[in-house]
Amino acid sequence: MTPKPFNFPAKRTTALFLLTASAAAATAAQTTYSADKLGGEIHGLVRTARAVSSVASTVVDYEFSLRGLQKDSDKYRQAISQVHLRSAKRFLKLCEANRGFYVKAGQFAASQKVLPREYSSTLSSLQDQVAPLPFRVIKEVLKDNLGPDFSEMFLSIDEQPIAAASIAQVHHAVLKSGHEVAIKVQYPWIEQQMNFDTRAMYFISKTIAWLYPQYRFEWLPLAFTKSMSSELDFVQEARNSEIAAKNFRNNKMVRIPHVFWDLTTKLVLTMQFYTGHRIGVDPEKPCSIGCYLTTVAKSLTELIAEMIFVHGYIHGDPHPGNIFVSPEVLLDHAVYTVLDEVFRKDFCQLWEALIVKDSMKTVWLGERFGAGKYSRYLPFIFTGTTIESKSALGISIKEKETLKHELKSLLFEDLSSFMESLPSDFIAILRVDALLRSIIRKLDVSRITRLLTYTKYAVYGRLCPKLDGEGESCKILGTNIWTIDVIPWKEKLKSVQNYLYSKISYDSLGFLVHSVFLIICISPSALF
């Protein structure tokens, strides 16, 4: 039987033409052009043409490869996985060719965990590094923002940058006071490029939505634009940095660079300079200060857990490039998520329910978060277990097979529906948790470390008011959160038992088991 020839639908052909037209029209509304600006627009059109070509190829690939296959068949699942992978590699090449905001967009999309696995794993390899600009260009930005005599404020400025990315580059300098500083300088043309590229991305996304009503990612370009707008405002980044510094003022393992406000503007950020190396540079070697990277990973886990459960103030991008070791220095505070207080308390309750395997409460809280019928998968998402598992720390072979069968029956539309139903605060936690798990996995740190640490801070966050960074002490379990590790373990046990007795109903054996478990969470060495 002769195969029926494939005819690309007329609607798709029209849409591909509109992709180019709409992306170009997105910037045509601007009324005046300088020579430099016109050059930037031409370069933007070249980048947009590459994007349109990649999108068009992807549309054809999906149309041709999946034609005639039943969605619930194994052949469909195998075929769509292959198309996902080919398309992800295609977009990876696009981002690497266009650089700039396309790299940022690829990283942003991968971090959201809403795309198929093939996309997120492929795009996560994108590196946000570029060739630095000559110092004469940076010097003009400094003049415009700090004044023509800005050099008189410094003993020296190293013209060779210590870091360069798609938005800004960083230079080491020494102030007249003798303080060493890092000056983060935004590229002068970056806002213009962002406006062009994000408009193009938005119109391409809208056109895809017209092509495919089941397309569920129209919100991605808008969310990306909002995130990038925050990253381009260095004054907001400086404010975020100061709030984070107040939140962790009593933490001896974490340092947040001090901001020099008289040398900070929307395009220039001057911070205290720290030395060290990026986390995970060489997992086989100990840190330069004599600690081991497993210890660093545990400290990072404590840091993230405290952000989520206690402060409700979450760093938006704690990837290895934003963390120095010697001691742990947290950099780049451009994007933060401030959790709603009711949500923060509910999430603390959810984590407790996940750990003590209270399936009814897990499902109830999942429904409060909007997860609906997908609430049963929350244990798998956070602890790697099923809703029926007896332990939060492991899963049996039979449970693995059952879970594998359930997940196989889910379509991508199910995942999209689930992610769309969740509040933005929940998505922010999923993102930062995924970044943390990726780091500690590479450093060969046990997943149990993360579970125990999260549980400790979930108990903290459940029983104390949200810390606001203004010097308030968090009294919990009869003591202070910062000194809890010096309290005798018998007092801890009594406090936790009283807490469990008032919050959870168990039989006598279960009560004892969970009491001991939470004591280990508070201090794993407490019982030894």
Side-chain angles (χ1 to χ4, degrees):
M1 181 176 178
T2 305
K4 183 178 179 180
F6 175 72
N7 296 315
F8 201 63
K11 181 180 180 181
R12 309 297 196 256
T13 306
T14 304
L16 294 178
F17 171 77
L18 289 177
L19 274 173
T20 307
S22 61
T27 55
Q30 300 182 29
T31 56
T32 59
Y33 294 85
S34 65
D36 289 341
K37 191 171 186 179
L38 181 59
E41 299 292 1
I42 293 173
H43 188 220
L45 287 172
V46 172
R47 295 195 304 274
T48 301
R50 291 196 193 106
V52 170
S53 175
S54 297
V55 171
S57 300
T58 299
V59 169
V60 172
D61 198 355
Y62 276 99
E63 284 280 351
F64 184 78
S65 302
L66 303 178
R67 188 170 63 115
L69 298 178
Q70 296 295 324
K71 282 191 174 183
D72 57 350
S73 66
D74 288 337
K75 286 186 177 180
Y76 178 87
R77 295 189 186 96
Q78 293 172 0
I80 198 170
S81 178
Q82 292 171 358
V83 180
H84 285 337
L85 185 58
R86 286 196 300 270
S87 302
K89 291 180 178 179
R90 192 177 296 122
F91 285 119
L92 176 65
K93 289 181 179 179
L94 168 67
C95 293
E96 290 174 339
N98 280 358
R99 305 299 301 168
F101 286 100
Y102 281 84
V103 171
K104 288 285 189 180
Q107 293 174 327
F108 181 83
S111 69
Q112 298 305 303
K113 304 304 176 185
V114 296
L115 296 178
R117 174 179 50 83
E118 293 84 357
Y119 281 92
S120 57
S121 60
T122 302
L123 295 176
S124 63
S125 65
L126 284 167
Q127 298 296 315
D128 186 22
Q129 295 178 339
V130 301
L133 289 182
F135 187 72
R136 57 181 173 77
V137 178
I138 298 302
K139 188 175 181 180
E140 290 303 313
V141 178
L142 292 173
K143 281 183 179 179
D144 291 341
N145 284 266
L146 303 182
D149 57 347
F150 77 93
S151 59
E152 296 179 4
M153 307 175 190
F154 299 90
L155 285 177
S156 64
I157 301 178
D158 190 347
E159 296 188 3
Q160 186 66 30
I162 56 179
S166 57
I167 289 178
Q169 62 190 51
V170 181
H171 291 259
H172 173 262
V174 180
L175 299 179
K176 284 289 182 67
S177 62
H179 289 98
E180 288 187 86
V181 296
I183 311 173
K184 184 177 179 180
V185 184
Q186 192 175 129
Y187 302 136
W189 38 260
I190 204 68
E191 188 169 3
Q192 174 196 355
Q193 187 185 88
M194 185 194 78
N195 290 336
F196 193 108
D197 287 347
T198 53
R199 286 179 180 180
M201 292 173 192
Y202 173 76
F203 279 101
I204 289 174
S205 182
K206 290 289 287 185
T207 307
I208 295 174
W210 180 68
L211 281 170
Y212 297 99
Q214 69 270 29
Y215 175 76
R216 296 174 178 270
F217 302 114
E218 285 184 80
W219 58 270
L220 263 178
L222 295 176
F224 171 66
T225 301
K226 181 179 179 181
S227 174
M228 291 312 304
S229 296
S230 297
E231 289 204 39
L232 294 185
D233 187 351
F234 288 176
V235 172
Q236 183 59 50
E237 180 175 344
R239 293 194 188 106
N240 292 340
S241 176
E242 288 200 334
I243 294 173
K246 289 179 179 178
N247 286 345
F248 292 97
R249 64 198 178 282
N250 294 314
N251 191 319
K252 304 300 182 183
M253 290 298 294
V254 179
R255 296 289 182 272
I256 310 293
H258 171 73
V259 175
F260 292 83
W261 279 103
D262 56 334
L263 298 173
T264 294
T265 69
K266 187 177 179 180
L267 301 184
V268 176
L269 174 59
T270 305
M271 304 167 290
Q272 181 180 2
F273 179 81
Y274 277 102
T275 58
H277 61 265
R278 299 191 185 278
I279 188 170
V281 171
D282 188 350
E284 302 299 323
K285 294 183 179 180
C287 307
S288 59
I289 58 173
C291 65
Y292 290 90
L293 286 178
T294 51
T295 302
V296 173
K298 290 176 182 178
S299 297
L300 179 61
T301 304
E302 296 253 350
L303 173 70
I304 299 301
E306 189 175 329
M307 284 181 171
I308 294 172
F309 295 105
V310 179
H311 301 296
Y313 194 70
I314 307 175
H315 192 292
D317 200 19
H319 62 74
N322 284 336
I323 304 168
F324 273 174
V325 179
S326 182
E328 284 79 77
V329 180
L330 191 60
L331 305 173
D332 196 341
H333 301 267
V335 181
Y336 269 81
T337 297
V338 182
L339 299 183
D340 175 79
E341 179 64 357
V342 173
F343 174 89
R344 183 186 70 85
K345 288 292 185 77
D346 282 348
F347 193 77
C348 290
Q349 289 191 70
L350 174 63
W351 193 265
E352 290 179 17
L354 292 173
I355 293 300
V356 300
K357 303 308 299 179
D358 187 339
S359 59
M360 291 183 63
K361 193 170 185 179
T362 296
V363 171
W364 177 74
L365 286 166
E367 291 177 348
R368 276 176 62 89
F369 291 136
K373 65 179 181 179
Y374 303 106
S375 298
R376 63 180 286 102
Y377 297 109
L378 292 177
F380 172 69
I381 291 172
F382 288 110
T383 66
T385 61
T386 68
I387 194 75
E388 294 88 4
S389 298
K390 303 301 181 184
S391 169
L393 301 182
I395 184 172
S396 67
I397 296 177
K398 183 178 179 180
E399 289 170 341
K400 283 183 180 179
E401 290 299 320
T402 301
L403 181 61
K404 184 178 179 180
H405 179 74
E406 283 191 46
L407 295 177
K408 189 177 180 180
S409 66
L410 293 176
L411 297 174
F412 175 61
E413 288 78 5
D414 293 309
L415 175 61
S416 298
S417 178
F418 167 61
M419 297 300 291
E420 286 179 350
S421 68
L422 296 174
S424 59
D425 287 353
F426 203 103
I427 300 296
I429 290 176
L430 287 176
R431 181 172 187 265
V432 72
D433 181 59
L435 286 169
L436 173 65
R437 282 195 275 183
S438 175
I439 292 173
I440 65 177
R441 189 185 304 116
K442 291 176 182 176
L443 298 181
D444 198 28
V445 174
S446 169
R447 58 183 288 272
I448 295 178
T449 297
R450 168 180 154 273
L451 296 180
L452 295 179
T453 303
Y454 273 25
T455 303
K456 177 172 74 171
Y457 281 95
V459 173
Y460 288 167
R462 177 81 166 87
L463 296 182
C464 71
K466 179 178 178 180
L467 296 183
D468 59 8
E470 297 297 333
E472 177 186 358
S473 294
C474 178
K475 297 293 183 178
I476 176 171
L477 304 181
T479 187
N480 187 290
I481 185 173
W482 310 114
T483 59
I484 194 166
D485 287 332
V486 302
I487 302 300
W489 72 267
K490 289 184 179 180
E491 292 184 26
K492 295 178 185 177
L493 177 58
K494 183 178 179 180
S495 297
V496 174
Q497 283 178 329
N498 290 336
Y499 166 69
L500 286 173
Y501 184 77
S502 64
K503 299 295 181 183
I504 311 172
S505 297
Y506 292 107
D507 56 34
S508 57
L509 178 60
F511 177 76
L512 177 60
V513 170
H514 292 308
S515 295
V516 173
F517 180 77
L518 283 180
I519 281 301
I520 296 175
C521 293
I522 292 176
S523 180
S525 62
L527 300 180
F528 302 96

